[in-house]
Amino acid sequence: MIETSKEVLAAEQRFLTGENFYAQHFLGVQKNESGYVFRVWAPHARQVFLVGDFNQWDESLPMEKREKSGVWELVSSLPVEGQLYKFLVEQSDGRKIMKLDPFAIRFEKRPGTAAEIYTIPEKKWNDHSWRKRQKKVETLKEPLNIYEVHASSWKHHENGQPYSFKELKEELIPYVKEMGYTHIEFLPLMEHPLGASWGYQLTGFFALSSYYGTPEEFRDFVDLCHQNNIGVFVDWVPAHFCMNEDTLPYYDGTPTFEYEDPDRAHNIRWGTLCFDLGKPQVQSFLISSALFWLDVYHLDGMRVDAVSSMLYLDYDEGPWQPNHEGGNRNYEGYYFLQKLNAVIKLAFPQATMMAEESSSETQITGMIESGALGFDYKWNMGWMNDVLRFYEMDPVFRKDNFHLLTFSFMYMMNEHYILPFSHDEVVHGKKSLMHKMWGDRYNQFAHLRNMYTFMMTHPGKKILFMGSEWGQFLEWRYNEGLEWVDLEDEMNHKMQHFTAVLNNLYEKEASLWELEDTSETIELIDADNTEESVLTFMRRSKNTQDFLIIALNLVPVERKNFAIGVPFPGSYKEVLNTEKIEFGGTWTKDNLVCQSVSQPFKGFDQQIQTILPALGALIIKPEKIQTD
């Protein structure tokens, strides 16, 4: 809370210079001893009025302009908690337009767009143990397995209404814990006027959408997640914003939040406006929004959406002008993202920052001092596209396209990656992951189990969109709940069980994550067996005796007496067989324990032999080996 004139002047100056990272305490609405202080940034407005329930939405409460910053302010004793308000902005051209408060923390339910005078009450958090542990965690050396959720379509009531966070607390948290995920990541939860945007066209950058419930309910949800050792991430969208006239666009009649150049301001592809990321006041606004969510809701991190659109001037479909060097880099966006990550890491060192970014021209993860953007992780879109293309393919062609699976081994250490099977891959006619798979229904499930095993054993953190864990056949629909009725089908139920077993194996086995930031984490056994379309490799931990052998049979042909090179003599035991009957396959028992023989295989002096199920994946672990 800003109280004195000196504090107000300091906050104003920091806002103007792009250094006010808690700008919601200066702008928006604050309670004081005289009532409420309202402030809004509209530097080129002719006049601004506060309107709302408390004055019949008329022009009886004109605001005064702070000439230095272009911020309009008013102290009034009329409003009370819970009433609705807007700013009536007489724009530079004389038009009067009702505008929302960019710093509001609560809005009325859509289709209404007015802000609510709202104070988030103090909360006694019970997640101290979780937060204390997170301070000691090296995330790169820990398991990270994310369940991606669209909050209002995970589950619906019979009347079609989505669950609130109060209800999600009772059902989603136990489900995620039972399934073995380490984190939940929500599609944007901030206020947005149209559900069809999935939350990616925001209007309220500080407000939990009232469609999802109250801030108190969401804080209780996060608190209980942490008590159950589940982290919570949220998608955040600083690249662009909704074009509705009563929101941020041309707030005072001139480019305010957006670029002055209309070609840069308008995102043709998405029908939105792009933030002017070089403008100091916009930097204060956006970084304040990010810190607000991390601070007020105890979030464990954020995924920054559409990073490519902030980095490259030619990203959109419209005309563009090269930068001062003649290239396509958007330096405002580049330096803003570095600044964003630097500020967040200073305030919340353990916050996990993820980038949804698909190019390879800019280093996304790593130290800012080396020229990187400072993110912790980058979504590996190339891996995802290649893998899906491979598993959709008729197996007869796979021997000629084996590079789609193995190419990622060439660049897997270039960045710190997350392997995403996300919401973007199960909409707009792309079909669900299950529906993408080749073959009849039995083979589609076999493929899905095989593909998930490859994802879970390939270096990189993991993310899977809701419903994919049991192989939902229908595409995701944002306005309906998931097809939970699928689980009455034996194959879907067994697929869900498989995913839970695989998730728990991932979290249990240190070799799948302990050395993930080094090339020592993986050793290829045979990546050239294109004729049989079998891929074999090892994942290692710090303990030389602790490793896993992964064998993926990528065609519907069983391989008997299949040879696999191993590093040490001894016995090796199967710990996962995707074709077990409990998972939806036909195998009733495991392969026998394999005893190695002294017979060279590629670069190994020892080998084992086993049976590879058709379209099956095996994970094998040393049982008793000699390492001397």
Side-chain angles (χ1 to χ4, degrees):
M1 171 64 72
I2 294 174
E3 296 180 352
T4 69
S5 297
K6 185 176 180 180
E7 288 173 326
V8 170
L9 288 171
E12 181 179 42
Q13 179 61 27
R14 291 196 301 272
F15 176 71
L16 289 174
T17 57
E19 299 297 321
N20 190 336
F21 305 135
Y22 294 89
Q24 71 274 14
H25 298 313
F26 169 54
L27 291 140
V29 56
Q30 327 291 329
K31 188 173 179 59
N32 70 4
E33 65 280 359
S34 302
Y36 289 93
V37 183
F38 294 84
R39 295 192 184 95
V40 63
W41 178 52
H44 297 102
R46 294 185 181 181
Q47 179 63 58
V48 179
F49 301 89
L50 174 66
V51 297
D53 292 338
F54 38 82
N55 68 343
Q56 291 73 52
W57 300 86
D58 63 21
E59 299 178 17
S60 60
L61 293 174
M63 305 176 75
E64 294 185 6
K65 186 177 183 181
R66 300 175 66 88
E67 292 297 334
K68 180 180 179 181
S69 60
V71 170
W72 297 78
E73 66 182 358
L74 174 71
V75 179
S76 177
S77 59
L78 290 178
V80 297
E81 193 83 2
Q83 290 186 309
L84 302 178
Y85 72 97
K86 283 190 174 185
F87 297 117
L88 178 60
V89 181
E90 185 178 349
Q91 299 191 316
S92 57
D93 61 2
R95 291 194 308 150
K96 292 183 178 179
I97 298 178
M98 290 278 198
K99 289 283 192 177
L100 58 71
D101 179 0
F103 285 87
I105 59 174
R106 181 80 172 154
F107 286 87
E108 64 179 323
K109 287 189 176 181
R110 59 173 91 131
T113 58
E116 181 181 336
I117 299 173
Y118 192 88
T119 303
I120 301 178
E122 292 292 325
K123 173 178 171 57
K124 182 181 179 181
W125 288 85
N126 297 296
D127 62 350
H128 312 296
S129 296
W130 167 269
R131 285 164 72 85
K132 185 178 180 180
R133 283 197 305 273
Q134 296 312 299
K135 291 179 180 179
K136 302 175 183 178
V137 166
E138 293 183 70
T139 57
L140 287 173
K141 304 182 191 313
E142 294 288 329
L144 181 60
N145 187 11
I146 304 167
Y147 187 57
E148 189 187 29
V149 174
H150 180 249
S152 60
S153 62
W154 185 70
K155 191 173 280 191
H156 275 207
H157 293 289
E158 290 184 4
N159 63 2
Q161 289 299 306
Y163 279 30
S164 69
F165 270 106
K166 183 177 181 180
E167 293 163 318
L168 288 173
K169 183 178 72 171
E170 303 301 322
E171 293 203 27
L172 178 57
I173 294 174
Y175 180 78
V176 168
K177 188 173 183 179
E178 179 184 1
M179 288 299 297
Y181 292 100
T182 64
H183 289 71
I184 301 169
E185 180 180 323
F186 288 106
L187 275 61
L189 299 176
M190 299 81 183
E191 192 61 71
H192 54 281
L194 183 65
S197 77
W198 315 334
Y200 289 99
Q201 295 192 17
L202 301 181
T203 53
F205 282 75
F206 293 80
L208 176 77
S209 175
S210 54
Y211 190 65
Y212 298 136
T214 67
E216 296 95 308
E217 289 172 346
F218 182 51
R219 292 206 296 180
D220 288 345
F221 176 90
V222 175
D223 198 2
L224 189 57
C225 278
H226 288 170
Q227 293 172 56
N228 282 274
N229 295 316
I230 298 169
V232 183
F233 301 140
V234 169
D235 284 9
W236 181 64
V237 192
H240 59 116
F241 54 92
C242 177
M243 284 187 65
N244 289 6
E245 190 177 46
D246 63 338
T247 63
L248 298 184
Y250 300 95
Y251 199 89
D252 60 11
T254 68
T256 308
F257 291 92
E258 57 274 273
Y259 286 106
E260 188 169 346
D261 179 350
D263 289 335
R264 297 189 67 185
H266 287 265
N267 189 310
I268 297 171
R269 181 180 304 179
W270 296 325
T272 55
L273 287 168
C274 299
F275 281 108
D276 182 348
L277 299 173
K279 188 177 289 186
Q281 298 93 328
V282 172
Q283 293 178 4
S284 289
F285 172 75
L286 288 173
I287 295 175
S288 294
S289 167
L291 290 179
F292 173 84
W293 284 87
L294 293 169
D295 181 21
V296 172
Y297 293 107
H298 283 204
L299 295 181
D300 299 284
M302 298 179 132
R303 190 206 73 154
V304 179
D305 182 62
V307 168
S308 292
S309 71
M310 294 184 275
L311 287 178
Y312 304 111
L313 297 167
D314 58 349
Y315 178 82
D316 197 22
E317 299 170 351
W320 65 282
Q321 294 295 322
N323 60 32
H324 65 280
E325 294 178 340
N328 69 340
R329 171 162 287 180
N330 178 1
Y331 279 105
E332 294 98 327
Y334 175 81
Y335 290 122
F336 165 75
L337 289 167
Q338 286 188 323
K339 180 177 180 177
L340 168 73
N341 284 315
V343 171
I344 285 177
K345 288 299 183 181
L346 186 63
F348 298 99
Q350 292 307 121
T352 299
M353 295 298 291
M354 300 165 281
E356 188 258 331
E357 206 278 330
S358 56
S359 75
S360 58
E361 299 173 36
T362 301
Q363 187 72 22
I364 305 301
T365 62
M367 296 180 63
I368 293 170
E369 292 81 358
S370 67
L373 294 183
F375 284 97
D376 295 292
Y377 297 104
K378 172 184 177 178
W379 275 24
N380 193 338
M381 312 297 281
W383 176 90
M384 176 272 299
N385 284 314
D386 286 347
V387 168
L388 289 178
R389 183 180 163 197
F390 185 89
Y391 279 89
E392 289 179 85
M393 185 181 298
D394 189 313
V396 73
F397 300 115
R398 289 180 181 168
K399 65 181 181 180
D400 298 319
N401 291 277
F402 217 57
H403 64 281
L404 292 173
L405 286 196
T406 58
F407 178 61
S408 58
F409 295 136
M410 303 293 291
Y411 66 84
M412 61 188 176
M413 294 299 155
N414 290 357
E415 302 265 15
H416 299 308
Y417 287 113
I418 289 178
L419 309 179
F421 288 137
S422 74
H423 66 280
D424 279 327
E425 310 318 313
V426 295
V427 289
H428 298 326
K430 296 179 184 178
K431 300 185 289 189
S432 68
L433 294 184
M434 169 66 174
H435 196 181
K436 293 177 196 287
M437 299 295 101
W438 174 87
D440 60 18
R441 192 164 186 265
Y442 179 89
N443 281 302
Q444 285 179 320
F445 277 112
H447 272 98
L448 206 59
R449 295 191 298 269
N450 192 302
M451 187 175 75
Y452 288 178
T453 303
F454 182 53
M455 173 180 73
M456 206 61 71
T457 56
H458 189 290
K461 307 308 184 185
K462 329 296 176 185
I463 187 168
L464 185 68
F465 187 59
M466 62 183 195
S468 302
E469 70 271 22
W470 71 72
Q472 177 171 305
F473 188 81
L474 294 178
E475 279 191 339
W476 168 55
R477 294 163 294 183
Y478 75 91
N479 57 346
E480 298 182 23
L482 295 177
E483 295 288 316
W484 293 95
V485 67
D486 287 350
L487 295 175
E488 296 176 10
D489 182 279
E490 183 182 20
M491 291 297 287
N492 290 110
H493 186 75
K494 287 183 174 182
M495 183 69 214
Q496 184 192 46
H497 169 60
F498 170 78
T499 304
V501 169
L502 185 64
N503 286 346
N504 282 284
L505 184 145
Y506 166 73
E507 189 168 8
K508 174 185 173 184
E509 296 292 343
S511 57
L512 294 176
W513 36 263
E514 194 174 51
L515 294 176
E516 199 156 50
D517 59 335
T518 73
S519 58
E520 297 171 5
T521 189
I522 188 170
E523 182 175 359
L524 298 179
I525 298 174
D526 191 356
D528 301 315
N529 189 351
T530 58
E531 194 60 37
E532 292 181 295
S533 294
V534 176
L535 174 63
T536 52
F537 57 94
M538 281 191 292
R539 293 296 305 277
R540 296 185 178 278
S541 71
K542 292 177 181 178
N543 182 349
T544 57
Q545 299 185 41
D546 182 25
F547 57 90
L548 295 176
I549 295 168
I550 296 91
L552 303 170
N553 185 1
L554 300 158
V555 291
V557 179
E558 184 176 273
R559 306 293 183 190
K560 294 183 182 296
N561 302 317
F562 187 82
I564 302 173
V566 295
F568 304 111
S571 58
Y572 292 80
K573 181 180 181 180
E574 181 181 288
V575 294
L576 184 75
N577 181 334
T578 63
E579 281 302 295
K580 290 285 290 295
I581 196 167
E582 66 174 296
F583 302 140
T586 58
W587 283 47
T588 58
K589 56 184 179 181
D590 294 334
N591 272 301
L592 296 176
V593 173
C594 301
Q595 188 68 40
S596 69
V597 295
S598 296
Q599 189 172 340
F601 184 94
K602 296 244 172 176
F604 299 90
D605 296 329
Q606 299 280 321
Q607 67 171 257
I608 58 173
Q609 291 190 353
T610 189
I611 303 173
L612 289 188
L615 282 177
L618 301 182
I619 299 180
I620 300 168
K621 190 171 184 177
E623 185 180 53
K624 189 175 182 180
I625 57 175
Q626 300 173 16
T627 58
D628 295 333

